Each structure stands twice: as C-alpha cells, then as structure tokens.
Amino acid sequence: MKDDLIAIDNLSVRYELHGSTFSGRRTYVNALNGITLNVRKGETLAIVGESGSGKSTLAMTVLGLLRHWTGTISYNFSEKELTSAKERKLRRAELLEIWRRSSIVFQDPYSALDSKKLVKDIITEPYLGHRLGARSESQLLASELIMQVGLTEDHLGYYPDQLSGGQRQRIAVARSLINRPELVIFDEPTSSLDVSIQAQILNLILDLKEKLSLTYIFITHNLVVAKHVSDRMMVLYLGNVMEIGETDSVFNNPLHPYTKLLISSVPLPKADYEMKQRESREAEVSSITLPGGCVFHPRCPVATSYCGWKSDEVLQLIRREAYLLLGIEELDAEMHGDLSFTVTAGDEETARKLLDVVREKDRFKIADAQLSGNSISFTLFESWKPSLLSSGGRAVNCLLYDVEFMTAHGLKQDGS
Ligand SMILES: Nc1ncnc2c1ncn2[C@@H]1O[C@H](COP(=O)(O)OP(=O)(O)O)[C@@H](O)[C@H]1O
Ligand code: SF4
Ligand SMILES: [Mg+2]
C-alpha cells in the first residue's frame, strides 16, 4: 500500500431496479463485479470501457458517494490512512476526509455547473462547504486557480451561461482543485466538447497534474484519449476488469481478446441474445443477467468451449444457422438444464444435415451430439470462470492466459 494512494479489493456494486420485479423477485443491475485494483501515487490511471461498463459507478464508490457495495477500499492519503469496508461503514468524519482529499470533474460542464451562481462562487463552494478556511482565503485561491486553468480574473464575475463549453470545463477543473486534493477523478471530461477544444483541455489537465503532484483516475471510452493521458490503463467490461497494465505495453501488445478488439477498432460483434434483450429492455439488461463463465464470451471471437456457453445461447446460434444455411424457420427444442437440450427437425434427413452444419460451425461449443430419428440431443462443456491473473505488471482476465486451464484442456492460445 505504501506506493498506492488507493487499494480496492473485490469491490462489487449492484443497483436495485425499482418497479421491475419479475414474479415478486427483486431485480438488480450488477454494475461492478469483484473489482481489484490499485491506484499508485502520482500516476494517471485510465479506466476504459463502453457505456454501461461501470466506470462512473467505480468513481462514485471510490469517492464515498454510494452507500451499498461490498469489498474493501483503502485510502492512503498523506495525513490519514482510511479503510472503508462492507463490514465497517465509514463515519461521517471519515467520509469528509475523503471528500477533502479527492474531487471529481464530470463529463458535462453544462449540467455540472450551477447556472445561477457566479463563477467565483462555483469555484469556492467546495472550499467553504468543507470549512477549509475563511471566505477571503477562498477568493484568493479562486483568483490563483482561474489563472492556472488559463482564464482571467474577469471570468470570476461571469455566469456559466456566458462561457463556452471549453471555458466551463476549465472552471470545473479549477473548482476540483480548490480543496487541494491528492486524487482527482475525471469522468469523460472532454467527451461533450468540440474536438478542437478537447486537446487543449487534456493538455491543461496534464500540466496541472505535474505542477500540483496529483494522482488521477481518468475515465474515458476513447482509447486515443486514454493513450494520450495515462500511465496505466484498466479495461472494464460489464463491471469486470478485463486487463490492466502500463498503457504503452497494453497498446503495443494487447492480450485480452476484448482489448484487442477495442484497439484494432474493428466493430465489436454483438451477441444475438444480447441484441434481442437490448431491443426489448434497454441497454443495461446485460448487466442484469450477466453471461455465465467469462462475461465476454458471447462476443469473443476466440471463445473456447469452456468459456460459459449455456443451452439457450447455443440453441439460438443453432436456430440461426438452421435458418441461414438450411432454410429451417422453426426448430422445436426441449431444454434439459444449462448444459443439455434436444432439438427436433421435420425429418431424419433434415436432422442429419443440421447436425453436420452444427458440427462444422459450433463444434467447439458442443461436448456431445447424439442423433436419434429426427431429434438431436446436445451436451455442452462445463464452463470455467476466468480470473484476473497477474504477470510482469500485466493482469489479464481470460482463460487463454491461464496456464493451468490451458494445459488441463490441451488447448493452444488460438483456441484450437
Ligand atoms: N442509479 C442507478 N440505478 C440503476 N442502474 C444504474 C444506476 N446507475 C447506473 N446503473 C447501471 O449500472 C451499470 C453501470 O453504469 P455506469 O457506472 O454509469 O457505467 P458507465 O459509466 O461505464 O457508462 C449500467 O448498466 C447502468 O445502467
Ligand atoms: S475467457 Fe478469454 S477466450 Fe474465453 S470468452 Fe473470455 S475472453 Fe474469450
Ligand atoms: Mg459514466
């Protein structure tokens, strides 16, 4: 912990969805699922992931703004060490300590700044709110900070509406620094700005980090931005860490299949069932019913037989192939649990052709297939859940890098 400002161990957060109970059961969004992560003093750690992957939830939890979570978060601020754990809720005084030592800059400078307040009051508010000193001191600091963010003292007398998007984000940065934080979290700070202004704001943020010896957590869905600003990066997918490492090394040699796809900027394949769910119940559905095994398996181009396939997923793939390759519109099926199901075709000849197609296309997901008349009984492999394994400063959450698993199954890294 000595070199770390923050150490997060096995952090999970779920949100209860109100008004959406199925058969009387509560429904939850699993926003973060067992995150383990350290933030080193003085670094910029980028957190990269698609919308809904849990980036903002992670920021809010670290800042002590969410009440319900499990795991442990330890803070190693220069004057005080704090540990916040499920079993021990932080007292108000400890939360105040976290809010004094850290701050956040949000994505949208339009909604983040109170349009009825003058810029000087917006900047000084956290200072006065945390009772860090007298009003006169806060004014002096605001004058200093407004210049540090590249504006003039005149801007202190403006209202946010009188400023451009870039200027407002500079104000948000100044406000985030008035409590002299050790940690600043930027949550997509340039996503809502014009491309021409983004680089200026990023460079300002980087300059301030050097001048003020800060530690940054920088949240972005934009890999180019992550590459530009960060020392290390963490890739998040459906609330799970996929990969962590030095930014240069991750870009030069991405290991996790998801990171490889993100970096190659190839459009990500969508899982069929995921799309169906999204059509019917909005984007967060996939965090409600997380895929089993590896959460990435429905979209992974190199998934193995053991990566988490379940009967309903494989049946859907088989139905699609039956339709596309054999023109079969309806295929009766009977499920026998997560790993076994039977499909029934119109006649024996069709069932035989279907089995040939499945063996060719989906071979790796099928442990066994038995043809009996016009029915085929399929059995799938037991799934393995990958864990985040570290080696040489990199950590990857993929079975292909789990030597024990690969050896036990006689697999090579290309999935063969
Ligand atoms: N207050 C909330 N209530 C219910 N679900 C939420 C709430 N906030 C976020 N979520 C869900 O949690 C998941 C993670 O969200 P979020 O942390 O905002 O992701 P990101 O910042 O990466 O877009 C998403 O599925 C999102 O819809
Ligand atoms: S464990 Fe690795 S190979 Fe398997 S689905 Fe996940 S990312 Fe793909
Ligand atoms: Mg977000």
Side-chain angles (χ1 to χ4, degrees), residues 190-239:
T190 56
S191 308
S192 63
L193 300 177
D194 284 352
V195 176
S196 57
I197 302 164
Q198 285 182 8
Q200 291 171 19
I201 299 292
L202 289 178
N203 290 335
L204 168 72
I205 289 170
L206 290 179
D207 283 352
L208 289 168
K209 174 173 173 279
E210 292 310 313
K211 276 192 196 132
L212 305 173
S213 307
L214 298 163
T215 302
Y216 284 171
I217 294 178
F218 196 103
I219 292 172
T220 178
H221 65 271
N222 185 329
L223 279 123
V224 178
V225 170
K227 190 167 188 224
H228 181 61
V229 301
S230 66
D231 303 302
R232 288 194 308 143
M233 64 186 269
M234 175 182 103
V235 179
L236 206 56
Y237 181 78
L238 287 185

Side-chain angles (χ1 to χ4, degrees), residues 38-54:
N38 59 341
V39 183
R40 297 178 190 156
K41 283 187 179 169
E43 76 170 345
T44 298
L45 174 75
I47 298 180
V48 174
E50 290 163 82
S51 175
S53 55

